[in-house]
Amino acid sequence: MVLHLVPRCSARLFWASPGWRRTYTQGASVGLKWLGCPRDTYRPLACRGYSSVSGSPEVMLTPERYPVQRLPFSTVSEEDLAAFERITPGRVITDPEQLEACNVDWLRALRGCSKVLLRPQTSEEVSQILRHCHKRNLAVNPQGGNTGMVGGSVPVFDEVILSTALMNQVISFHDVSGILVCQAGCVLEELSHYVQERDFIMPLDLGAKGSCHIGGNVATNAGGLRFLRYGSLRGTVLGLEVVLADGTILNCLTSLRKDNTGYDLKQLFIGSEGTLGIITAVSILCPPRPKAVNVAFLESPFYVLVETSGSSAGHDAEKLTNVLEKVLNSGLVSDGTMATDQRKVQMLWALRERITEALSHDGYVFKYDISLPVERLYDLVIDLRTRLGPRAKHVVGYGHLGDGNLHLNVTAEAFSQELLTALEPYVYAWTAEQRGSVSAEHGLGFKKKNVLGYSKPPVAVKLMQQLKALLDPKGILNPYKTLPAQA
């Protein structure tokens, strides 16, 4: 069972959309009526047209908004471009218009000024690129689908952008064990279709699945909508192929369920956000496709989305109906709807998955992804509404009720340093007081690198910095990210 918290304002926004109608009768006999809206309307984040750079006000350069100094890396020369062209012929991008979107993060809060984008197709090409960059002391910014929330996937200054977009091949799939081996640039939604055709599912599902890459998912240890059911990527990823900062290829792409030989090196790179190595291929365990899926959308003081999956449609529906009858009769839930048809299930999940998109239309969004004890999950939202008052347009909280992950969003007409000062470090200190985490599933990236200490003790931070120095002594991999700057 998966439980998700949906903000009431967002749910009302979607229920008010043309084509939806909710029906409710006494007890648990609730249903969703589909009135003919085009199905493609509900593909969450599939094309990301609303985040397009063209036609929008220019995003401020990151160093102009944040206090960050460029480290003494080299700058790309004509000789470097010639070397890159030999490694990836025809796939060296220097056109400013093509580079513009790759320099700006999805939230349009950060902008770098990279002058070159490389599009390798193989691990060997990535190796040659990093070998050259290591020798020349050129900083490298790995980039997948560029759907991150903390600025980890875009340059801060003029780092070389290394895109995995063309590394999008399935290497193998075992139709008995469900073990998928693929390149890092495979789009999550496309992998989902691939394994579903073979009666399996991906162990993670994200709102950004139409754009995000599996390598980026692993590099950020993305949580997503199936976390409660299938666990984190630290458990479902069986092996990785990674290219280290000096170009060394580390092939730990095992497909074994059990491998107890020495240190589990893949765990160093899961969640490291490209700062220790660039993930080029992934071996991941896919669960069998459930034969029955039920989704309920319920109203009490919050809107709650519940999904169950199992092996018997009748048995599972009966159990869920019994639960719904109890919560309806007790008064805990006042209204709701339930769906078993796959199309209707997708429609209900669209309510949850498109909240980020809806918020982006409300102005500039300050986003916080934190973990809290479940009993304190919404307290920070109420606290901030009082603290910020009219300085914020809206303070919205939603997230993953089952695992205590709150997505806190504060909207304003435009970026405001005054509002940022009121939010930070207050939000992080409040979270630390509850023994929570300042990042539940989106990583630290650029925006949160200096607040790592709110969730990890100094000894742990120091050890992380030592690991970074060991694997990337020149610091060329995704600099200015994940770890706090050292004096």
Side-chain angles (χ1 to χ4, degrees):
M1 180 178 289
V2 180
L3 299 176
H4 284 267
L5 202 62
V6 181
R8 293 176 65 89
C9 59
S10 297
R12 288 196 179 112
L13 171 65
F14 283 104
W15 281 124
S17 300
W20 287 90
R21 184 168 76 221
R22 183 175 57 183
T23 60
Y24 169 69
T25 57
Q26 184 63 35
S29 178
V30 291
L32 174 69
K33 290 191 175 179
W34 171 241
L35 301 181
C37 287
R39 184 173 182 178
D40 286 348
T41 304
Y42 299 94
R43 283 190 70 208
L45 307 185
C47 62
R48 297 169 60 219
Y50 52 84
S51 63
S52 172
V53 173
S54 60
S56 302
E58 188 172 84
V59 178
M60 185 184 300
L61 285 168
T62 300
E64 294 176 357
R65 175 170 288 177
Y66 295 92
V68 56
Q69 296 294 318
R70 187 184 187 277
L71 295 173
F73 297 114
S74 301
T75 56
V76 175
S77 66
E78 291 297 326
E79 291 77 13
D80 293 322
L81 292 176
F84 294 145
E85 185 63 33
R86 288 192 294 271
I87 298 169
T88 56
R91 288 171 279 126
V92 179
I93 311 299
T94 57
D95 177 23
E97 289 189 6
Q98 295 184 60
L99 283 163
E100 190 174 6
C102 298
N103 270 299
V104 179
D105 76 317
W106 184 80
L107 293 175
R108 298 190 55 75
L110 303 169
R111 181 165 68 96
C113 54
S114 176
K115 301 297 191 295
V116 58
L117 166 69
L118 307 178
R119 292 162 61 86
Q121 293 177 319
T122 66
S123 302
E124 181 56 38
E125 288 181 347
V126 175
S127 173
Q128 292 182 46
I129 291 168
L130 288 188
R131 192 176 303 126
H132 178 87
C133 291
H134 187 263
K135 181 179 179 181
R136 282 276 295 121
N137 195 36
L138 290 168
V140 179
N141 182 97
Q143 188 174 95
N146 196 15
T147 60
M149 298 288 187
V150 288
S153 60
V154 292
V156 177
F157 292 97
D158 57 348
E159 300 90 89
V160 173
I161 302 174
L162 191 155
S163 169
T164 58
L166 299 183
M167 301 180 68
N168 57 3
Q169 301 299 307
V170 171
I171 299 170
S172 67
F173 181 76
H174 196 281
D175 57 7
V176 174
S177 66
I179 296 173
L180 170 72
V181 182
C182 63
Q183 288 184 299
C186 291
V187 174
L188 178 58
E189 187 171 48
E190 294 175 4
L191 289 178
S192 295
H193 293 323
Y194 179 89
V195 299
Q196 282 178 13
E197 291 171 357
R198 291 153 178 84
D199 219 21
F200 288 82
I201 63 170
M202 292 298 289
L204 75 160
D205 187 24
L206 311 173
K209 59 191 171 191
S211 302
C212 65
H213 297 180
I214 188 64
N217 298 150
V218 174
T220 57
N221 191 29
L225 307 178
R226 293 175 178 161
F227 183 94
L228 191 64
R229 178 67 175 84
Y230 298 113
S232 77
L233 289 172
R234 294 195 179 278
T236 54
V237 170
L238 301 178
L240 295 175
E241 180 185 71
V242 181
V243 181
L244 304 181
D246 63 358
T248 300
I249 298 177
L250 175 65
N251 189 339
C252 292
L253 202 60
T254 179
S255 294
L256 298 173
R257 295 287 298 271
K258 286 185 173 181
D259 182 5
N260 202 12
T261 52
Y263 305 130
D264 191 0
L265 295 178
K266 71 176 181 292
Q267 296 296 345
L268 286 175
F269 304 98
I270 300 174
S272 68
E273 304 184 70
T275 62
L276 301 180
I278 296 179
I279 295 171
T280 51
V282 178
S283 172
I284 189 168
L285 180 65
C286 299
R289 186 176 183 178
K291 291 182 170 37
V293 174
N294 298 282
V295 172
F297 186 75
L298 309 175
E299 181 178 350
S300 47
F302 300 94
Y303 287 111
V304 180
L305 193 61
V306 182
E307 180 178 291
T308 67
S309 59
S311 58
S312 172
H315 177 67
D316 294 353
E318 181 183 0
K319 288 195 297 183
L320 181 58
T321 299
N322 288 338
V323 172
L324 295 181
E325 286 179 347
K326 289 181 181 179
V327 295
L328 284 164
N329 293 333
S330 70
L332 182 63
V333 170
S334 59
D335 202 350
T337 187
M338 189 171 75
T340 56
D341 174 77
Q342 183 60 29
R343 186 179 64 175
K344 295 177 181 178
V345 165
Q346 291 175 350
M347 301 306 166
L348 286 179
W349 271 113
L351 298 176
R352 166 62 174 80
E353 293 176 341
R354 300 186 74 185
I355 294 171
T356 298
E357 177 185 354
L359 286 165
S360 70
H361 290 287
D362 198 41
Y364 185 89
V365 188
F366 296 89
K367 285 185 170 292
Y368 300 91
D369 158 53
I370 59 179
S371 283
L372 293 167
V374 174
E375 64 271 15
R376 301 300 307 275
L377 188 62
Y378 207 71
D379 292 357
L380 181 56
V381 177
I382 298 170
D383 180 278
L384 281 178
R385 286 173 179 165
T386 301
R387 175 179 173 83
L388 300 178
R391 288 181 291 181
K393 288 181 67 177
H394 294 101
V395 179
V396 174
Y398 66 98
H400 311 256
L401 184 60
D403 54 40
N405 181 184
L406 175 69
H407 296 311
L408 173 68
N409 293 258
V410 178
T411 63
E413 291 293 347
F415 174 81
S416 164
Q417 185 61 49
E418 179 191 5
L419 194 52
L420 180 62
T421 301
L423 286 166
E424 300 177 17
Y426 181 83
V427 168
Y428 302 124
W430 195 99
T431 301
E433 288 176 1
Q434 311 307 317
R435 302 182 67 83
S437 171
V438 297
S439 180
E441 63 177 359
H442 290 159
L444 297 167
F446 174 79
K447 289 184 176 180
K448 289 186 175 181
K449 62 174 184 171
N450 290 322
V451 300
L452 176 58
Y454 284 96
S455 295
K456 291 292 186 291
V459 172
V461 175
K462 182 178 180 181
L463 183 57
M464 293 180 195
Q465 291 170 329
Q466 289 172 334
L467 286 170
K468 169 70 171 175
L470 175 66
L471 292 174
D472 182 16
K474 292 188 175 182
I476 66 168
L477 289 180
N478 222 9
Y480 321 104
K481 316 282 178 60
T482 305
L483 297 177
Q486 293 180 281

